Amino acid sequence: MEPLYQYAWLIPVLPLLGALIVGFGLIAFSETTSKLRRPSAIFIMALMAIAMGHSLTLFWSQVQGHLPYTQMIEWAAAGNLHIAMGYVIDPLAALMLVIVTTVAFLVMLYSDGYMAHDPGYVRFFAYLSLFGSSMLGLVVSPNLVQVYIFWELVGMCSYLLIGFWYDRKSAAEAAQKAFVTNRVGDFGLLLGMVGLFWATGTFDFAGMGDRLTELVNTGLLSPSLAAILAILVFLGPVAKSAQFPLHVWLPDAMEGPTPISALIHAATMVAAGVFLIARMFPVFEQLPQVMTTIAWTGAFTAFMGATIAITQNDIKKSLAYSTISQLGYMVMGMGVGAYSAGLFHLMTHAYFKAMLFLGSGSVIHSMEGVVGHNPDLAQDMRYMGGLRKYMPITGATFLVGCLAISGVPPFAGFWSKDEILGAVFHANPAMWLLTWLTAGLTAFYMFRMYFMTFEGKFRNVPPERQEHHDHHSHHAAVPHESPWTMTLPLVVLAIPSTLIGFVGTPFNNLFEVFIHAPGEEKVAEHAVDLTEFLILGGSSVGIGLMGITVAYLMYLKGTPSPQAIAKAIQPLYQFSLHKWYFDELYEAVFIKGCRRLARQVLEVDYNVVDGVVNLTGFVTMVTGEGLKYLQNGRAQFYALIVLLAVLGFVIFSVQT
């Protein structure tokens, strides 16, 4: 069994090797490598498949009770400072390895069909492999320094993939927005990381938590300062997991290819934030004010994301705000101490949200066959409808995803979301009420999306707005089902979206037995209050069904009319449609504010700094011009100057 763990470092290295080989080929032998489209993709997928197989084996070993395994080497040493690098395989790492590798492999398989006609096909697979490697390296990192290194690599890869179609202005701007917004959070993470090392003398997660508790309890460290350092660390997950107020980058990330949306929003970048909260749990749980901050940040983000999603017409952006909302549930769960519940929802969400995004990509791929490569039209749900008739597999799997995320039993999302809501109810009933209402909004906007896209009649885009194609074009006149490389991942992902929730039922919570908070003992049996479960679970299912019913009446029956309701509550409708005006606010305060500040600094630089420098140069030039006439090379003239100077000093001395 030990060789299995000793070679676990191959899991992140294999995808990295694929990215390096294909990437080097694109740089050194660009034309040849670009022609080897399918061999390059198969090579990268094969390496990810090997990593997936190894991850599944490690996961099974951990389930069977193998002790956590850590392998470390000294990376840097200076005096008393020693920084080690290596990898750790414990239940949390094993779970994340399985989630990342399975979703990444299915996304790669899907990309073979989705990106088939894209000239950047090979480059896309190289980026995917590098992205997967970065996330895999992050989840096996044993300390905060190594996490930060891979954290930044994940951010770099997201920049490359969001801006994959860099010749599109919107994609380039979205990549910059994601990069800059994440730098804000990452700067806070860096400050908090350095501050905690200053306080505790270690970057190890468990050691940091134990030492910080000791320092606070003995009075050697102020609880307020410890809380500030922990909240600075939390800023990293706030940005990566798109929590308020650093959530604004995620909807714009939809400018990247749809497989990237599935990977970023399901198993990699956004999951990194929740994962780091889990790793830092030994630190956070000792500071109640930090846990409260985390919980309310997640609760508000969940509500905010849902209220924005209900009015979006772009299918991918609606799913993006759904992701923001669901990540809020995970963060809130962590904040109220429901460690295993938060991670359980991370796992279930990874599978059904990946399926939903890939399903939206299948729809967009089909719509492009009708309207051409125009994202504004191909992604607009107002021009869809009735697609289930043309795309039965995509429609069926998308319905499964909608039922799962809406919390309808027995689908996966019901069990994980209900566990979080149960923990929140005991911690803070007001917070529970807010997120209970959010659950109803979630069901509403998800089935609004399903009914607008798959049910009713196909509305199509007006002919005058469609792109015209010649008779050699591969575009079809009507929507059509996607190729098997795109539908197979949807079918595979529908299985865990339906069944995986049963590993975390309150009656036999195997997930909680496997994943438990650091320092807690494994509990084989957990008493269930059946009455409480029926009341809380029934209330969440009830409000979910209400949301589905309202969506059915509005978007399938047309009574009441969505347009009439929007007109009746126009200010609220516009507030939601414009995403709470966050982009406009940030534009006015930060972008224009920074430009005004830059102009003022430029004025100071020009008039004061440059003025002083220019004045010095001018004085030097003038004095030089004057003094050059005194340098004529005649000794008698120099002697006269000396005589006059001495005479001047004598007269000055006599007068004083």
Side-chain angles (χ1 to χ4, degrees):
M1 186 62 70
E2 288 307 309
L4 180 68
Y5 285 84
Q6 290 170 359
Y7 289 99
W9 55 270
L10 284 171
I11 295 174
V13 168
L14 286 173
L16 176 62
L17 184 65
L20 290 175
I21 292 174
V22 174
F24 177 76
L26 285 172
I27 294 171
F29 311 100
S30 177
E31 189 174 340
T32 304
T33 306
S34 296
K35 290 179 180 178
L36 297 173
R37 295 165 66 89
R38 189 57 63 84
S40 299
I42 291 174
F43 173 64
I44 284 177
M45 283 193 282
L47 292 176
M48 184 60 75
I50 295 171
M52 179 175 66
H54 198 165
S55 299
L56 288 167
T57 310
L58 287 171
F59 176 76
W60 182 247
S61 173
Q62 286 292 304
V63 169
Q64 295 300 307
H66 193 286
L67 293 175
Y69 181 90
T70 304
Q71 183 70 44
M72 303 292 289
I73 59 170
E74 188 171 82
W75 181 62
N80 293 326
L81 174 64
H82 295 273
I83 300 177
M85 293 291 180
Y87 61 91
V88 60
I89 303 297
D90 60 2
L92 176 57
L95 174 71
M96 292 299 297
L97 286 174
V98 170
I99 293 173
V100 174
T101 53
T102 52
V103 174
F105 177 76
L106 291 171
V107 167
M108 287 179 176
L109 178 61
Y110 178 94
S111 300
D112 178 61
Y114 190 86
M115 302 293 288
H117 302 286
D118 196 288
Y121 177 93
V122 177
R123 176 169 59 93
F124 184 75
F125 272 88
Y127 286 172
L128 275 181
S129 193
L130 183 60
F131 198 5
S133 172
S134 301
M135 187 63 192
L136 292 168
L138 190 151
V139 300
V140 298
S141 297
N143 56 50
L144 202 49
V145 171
Q146 192 169 329
V147 163
Y148 189 78
I149 293 171
F150 284 104
W151 188 271
E152 294 302 316
L153 280 173
V154 168
M156 180 201 73
C157 292
S158 71
Y159 173 80
L160 294 173
L161 287 163
I162 294 169
F164 180 77
W165 289 317
Y166 54 83
D167 53 342
R168 258 181 17 204
K169 187 174 184 291
S170 57
E173 290 178 345
Q176 293 176 28
K177 186 175 183 179
F179 190 81
V180 172
T181 306
N182 276 276
R183 296 290 70 70
V184 176
D186 293 356
F187 183 62
L189 172 60
L190 180 61
L191 290 178
M193 183 176 76
V194 173
L196 286 173
F197 178 76
W198 163 79
T200 63
T202 181
F203 288 112
D204 178 69
F205 299 111
M208 194 180 290
D210 294 340
R211 180 63 178 151
L212 195 68
T213 304
E214 179 185 338
L215 291 171
V216 171
N217 291 339
T218 56
L220 296 175
L221 184 66
S222 164
S224 298
L225 179 58
I228 290 171
L229 295 177
I231 289 173
L232 284 172
V233 171
F234 176 58
L235 281 178
V238 166
K240 272 288 190 294
S241 289
Q243 299 296 286
F244 168 81
L246 299 178
H247 64 281
V248 291
W249 68 271
L250 196 61
D252 293 74
M254 297 300 96
E255 292 293 337
T258 301
I260 290 311
S261 302
L263 199 56
I264 288 178
H265 290 235
T268 53
M269 187 167 175
V270 296
V274 180
F275 169 80
L276 182 57
I277 295 174
R279 280 295 190 214
M280 291 295 294
F281 202 76
V283 173
F284 293 153
E285 69 175 339
Q286 308 300 329
L287 304 165
Q289 59 270 55
V290 175
M291 294 291 280
T292 302
T293 302
I294 293 172
W296 275 109
T297 300
F300 180 78
T301 303
F303 177 73
M304 178 198 67
T307 58
I308 297 174
I310 60 177
T311 58
Q312 301 305 304
N313 294 312
D314 184 306
I315 188 170
K316 286 176 67 178
K317 287 193 176 181
S318 187
L319 285 172
Y321 281 105
S322 168
T323 299
I324 291 172
S325 182
Q326 296 303 307
L327 288 166
Y329 273 102
M330 300 173 209
V331 171
M332 177 182 64
M334 290 289 184
V336 298
Y339 178 90
S340 63
L343 290 173
F344 185 33
H345 197 51
L346 185 151
M347 177 183 71
T348 60
H349 177 265
Y351 290 112
F352 62 67
K353 185 51 66 68
M355 180 177 63
L356 286 167
F357 266 111
L358 295 182
S360 72
S362 180
V363 169
I364 294 166
H365 181 266
S366 179
M367 287 296 294
E368 285 178 344
V370 178
V371 303
H373 295 284
N374 186 334
D376 293 335
L377 300 180
Q379 296 174 197
D380 196 324
M381 293 183 290
R382 291 172 295 184
Y383 301 127
M384 298 177 188
L387 295 185
R388 181 171 57 87
K389 179 174 65 174
Y390 304 100
M391 311 176 69
I393 298 175
T394 302
T397 54
F398 203 91
L399 177 60
V400 168
C402 289
L403 290 168
I405 197 172
S406 299
V408 176
F411 296 92
F414 164 73
W415 303 105
S416 57
K417 190 186 292 187
D418 186 69
E419 189 175 351
I420 291 175
L421 288 174
V424 172
F425 180 79
H426 290 288
N428 191 317
M431 190 183 297
W432 172 85
L433 180 61
L434 181 68
T435 47
W436 177 73
L437 292 172
T438 303
L441 292 174
T442 301
F444 171 76
Y445 69 69
M446 287 307 302
F447 274 86
R448 168 184 180 266
M449 192 184 312
Y450 175 76
F451 291 137
M452 288 181 70
T453 304
F454 292 100
E455 300 297 338
K457 295 181 179 180
F458 181 50
R459 293 179 290 277
N460 205 345
V461 181
E464 63 272 12
R465 296 198 62 189
Q466 296 185 25
E467 292 183 7
H468 298 288
H469 312 289
D470 57 34
H471 63 279
H472 297 294
S473 174
H474 64 274
H475 296 287
V478 295
H480 58 89
E481 187 60 274
S482 299
W484 73 268
T485 52
M486 295 173 66
T487 54
L488 179 61
L490 295 176
V491 174
V492 172
L493 287 167
I495 297 172
S497 299
T498 305
L499 302 175
I500 204 169
F502 287 108
V503 303
T505 66
F507 311 106
N508 185 23
N509 199 332
L510 300 175
F511 188 88
E512 189 175 5
V513 172
F514 179 62
I515 296 283
H516 56 93
E520 290 184 1
E521 296 293 330
K522 289 188 176 182
V523 180
E525 295 184 2
H526 181 67
V528 180
D529 187 333
L530 185 60
T531 303
E532 180 184 293
F533 169 74
L534 292 175
I535 292 173
L536 292 178
S539 64
S540 63
V541 172
I543 196 168
L545 293 176
M546 286 174 60
I548 295 171
T549 303
V550 173
Y552 171 81
L553 294 173
M554 289 176 62
Y555 292 96
L556 206 56
K557 293 298 183 181
T559 52
S561 166
Q563 293 78 14
I565 294 176
K567 189 175 181 180
I569 54 170
Q570 190 65 209
L572 288 175
Y573 174 76
Q574 291 297 327
F575 188 65
S576 171
L577 186 64
H578 288 87
K579 311 157 194 174
W580 287 32
Y581 293 99
F582 276 109
D583 286 330
E584 290 81 356
L585 176 65
Y586 290 175
E587 173 79 21
V589 175
F590 296 109
I591 298 176
K592 292 183 178 177
C594 287
R595 287 174 180 168
R596 282 195 296 269
L597 178 62
R599 283 193 293 268
Q600 292 170 357
V601 171
L602 179 63
E603 290 294 321
V604 173
D605 180 66
Y606 183 77
N607 294 317
V608 179
V609 179
D610 284 358
V612 171
V613 173
N614 293 338
L615 178 62
T616 304
F618 178 75
V619 171
T620 303
M621 182 184 71
V622 170
T623 53
E625 283 291 328
L627 290 173
K628 76 178 182 180
Y629 296 106
L630 301 179
Q631 303 295 324
N632 55 15
R634 297 173 63 183
Q636 299 92 324
F637 183 71
Y638 298 155
L640 177 62
I641 291 174
V642 172
L643 178 62
L644 291 174
V646 171
L647 182 61
F649 278 122
V650 170
I651 294 172
F652 177 77
S653 299
V654 171
Q655 289 180 348
T656 57

